[in-house]
Amino acid sequence: GYAHMDIKPHNILIRRPNSSSGSSRGSSRPRRLQQQLTPPSACEMAITAGAGCCGAAAGAGDAEEDEQQQALTADLEAGRSLVVRGYEAVLTDFGSARAVPIQIGSRAAALTVQEDAEVHCTATFRAPELFDVPSHCTLDGRLDVWALGCTLYAIMYGASPFQQAVDQGASLALAVMNCRIPWPKAPALRYPQELHSLVGLCLTAEHAQRPTVMQLLERVQELMAAGLPDAHQQPAT
C-alpha cells in the first residue's frame, strides 16, 4: 500500500458529490436538492475529512486487516468518498505518497527517509518519528494518522496544533515529540469531547501505539453514526 505523507487542509477537497441518480433531461430536481444544502459546519468538515482521508490512505493496515479494509473503503477506491450530510472529502496531491511499510535497517536508510520527509512533508503536520527516524524501525500508514490529527485540529481552530511553537520561535521538533496539544480556552469555541478525543487518538506520540488507519476509520464511522453536535451547542470551558 501507500501512505500519502502530506495530509493537511490544503490537500483535502470537501465538496458536494455529483448526483448521478434521478437525473434526466429537463429535470431540475437534483439541482434543487443540491441548492438546499447548507455549508458544512467545522465539526461536520472535520468528521467528513476524517472519513475521507481514512479511506483514501490505502497503506495503513497490515495483512490481517486487508480484507476488512478493502470492504470498508471500496467506494473510496472507486473515486468516491464517505458522505456526511451531503458533503464528501477527497484527498488530493499524491506527489508525496510513498510505498509502505518502510523498513529501516541502518542509519543511512533512516537519514534517507528523514531527508525525504523534510522535503515532502509539511513540518507542522509531520509525525514525530519523521523528525528523528530510528535506525531500526518500520514505518507505515500511521504516519498519515498523525497528519490527519493535526488536520482535524486545524479545521476546528485554524492551524496545526504545533504552529504555535513555530510562531513563538520554539523548537518545532521538540513540540511535536512532546505532543502537548494546546486546546484553546474560553471564549474559544468548544467542540464535542468525542472530536477532541479523536484528535488526541491520532496524535499518539508512540508510532506503535497509534491506531492504524483501519482502526481510526472504524472510530470515525462510529462518530458519524452518533451524529455529533456542533461547537456552538457546547458550553465553552
Side-chain angles (χ1 to χ4, degrees), residues 49-58 60 69 73 76 148 213-214 216-218 220:
C53 292
C54 282
Q69 182 179 0
T73 63
L76 291 144
L148 180 58
V213 171
M214 178 63 199
L216 189 64
L217 177 57
E218 292 176 347
V220 168

Side-chain angles (χ1 to χ4, degrees), residues 137-221:
C137 68
T138 300
L139 303 177
D140 56 25
R142 283 172 280 199
L143 299 170
D144 282 347
V145 170
W146 175 278
L148 180 58
C150 295
T151 298
L152 299 182
Y153 183 100
I155 290 175
M156 291 188 286
Y157 296 112
S160 162
F162 306 105
Q163 183 61 45
Q164 187 177 34
V166 176
D167 295 341
Q168 295 176 349
S171 169
L172 175 60
L174 188 60
V176 169
M177 288 187 281
N178 285 338
C179 192
R180 294 177 181 172
I181 306 174
W183 294 111
K185 301 184 183 299
L189 291 177
R190 171 73 179 184
Y191 288 87
Q193 182 57 45
E194 293 88 343
L195 204 51
H196 281 208
S197 297
L198 182 66
V199 172
L201 186 64
C202 294
L203 299 183
T204 301
E206 289 295 330
H207 181 90
Q209 297 176 10
R210 198 177 307 145
T212 65
V213 171
M214 178 63 199
Q215 292 167 338
L216 189 64
L217 177 57
E218 292 176 347
R219 177 57 182 152
V220 168
Q221 289 180 318

Side-chain angles (χ1 to χ4, degrees), residues 26-213:
S27 174
S28 60
R29 184 170 180 269
R31 179 175 297 179
R32 288 201 306 270
L33 288 176
Q34 284 198 354
Q35 289 174 344
Q36 292 173 3
L37 291 174
T38 57
S41 66
C43 182
E44 289 171 326
M45 284 195 293
I47 291 297
T48 305
C53 292
C54 282
D62 56 28
E64 296 179 355
E65 292 179 325
D66 284 348
E67 183 176 348
Q68 186 180 10
Q69 182 179 0
Q70 289 172 5
L72 281 169
T73 63
D75 282 349
L76 291 144
E77 293 172 355
R80 295 182 292 276
S81 186
L82 299 177
V83 177
V84 176
R85 201 175 61 78
Y87 289 87
E88 66 179 1
V90 180
L91 189 59
T92 65
D93 193 358
F94 285 82
S96 58
R98 298 291 182 269
V100 291
I102 302 172
Q103 303 289 347
I104 308 295
S106 67
R107 189 57 187 159
L111 289 175
T112 298
V113 172
Q114 188 170 313
E115 291 168 0
D116 183 67
E118 290 173 355
V119 173
H120 295 99
C121 307
T122 303
T124 50
F125 294 82
R126 190 188 310 161
E129 56 269 27
L130 292 177
F131 282 88
D132 186 14
V133 179
S135 298
H136 298 277
C137 68
T138 300
L139 303 177
D140 56 25
R142 283 172 280 199
L143 299 170
D144 282 347
V145 170
W146 175 278
L148 180 58
C150 295
T151 298
L152 299 182
Y153 183 100
I155 290 175
M156 291 188 286
Y157 296 112
S160 162
F162 306 105
Q163 183 61 45
Q164 187 177 34
V166 176
D167 295 341
Q168 295 176 349
S171 169
L172 175 60
L174 188 60
V176 169
M177 288 187 281
N178 285 338
C179 192
R180 294 177 181 172
I181 306 174
W183 294 111
K185 301 184 183 299
L189 291 177
R190 171 73 179 184
Y191 288 87
Q193 182 57 45
E194 293 88 343
L195 204 51
H196 281 208
S197 297
L198 182 66
V199 172
L201 186 64
C202 294
L203 299 183
T204 301
E206 289 295 330
H207 181 90
Q209 297 176 10
R210 198 177 307 145
T212 65
V213 171

Side-chain angles (χ1 to χ4, degrees), residues 4-47:
H4 185 281
M5 302 290 287
D6 197 29
I7 293 178
K8 58 185 178 181
H10 289 83
N11 288 339
I12 299 174
L13 173 65
I14 296 181
R15 68 181 186 183
R16 298 176 182 175
N18 293 326
S19 175
S20 58
S21 61
S23 60
S24 59
R25 177 177 292 183
S27 174
S28 60
R29 184 170 180 269
R31 179 175 297 179
R32 288 201 306 270
L33 288 176
Q34 284 198 354
Q35 289 174 344
Q36 292 173 3
L37 291 174
T38 57
S41 66
C43 182
E44 289 171 326
M45 284 195 293
I47 291 297

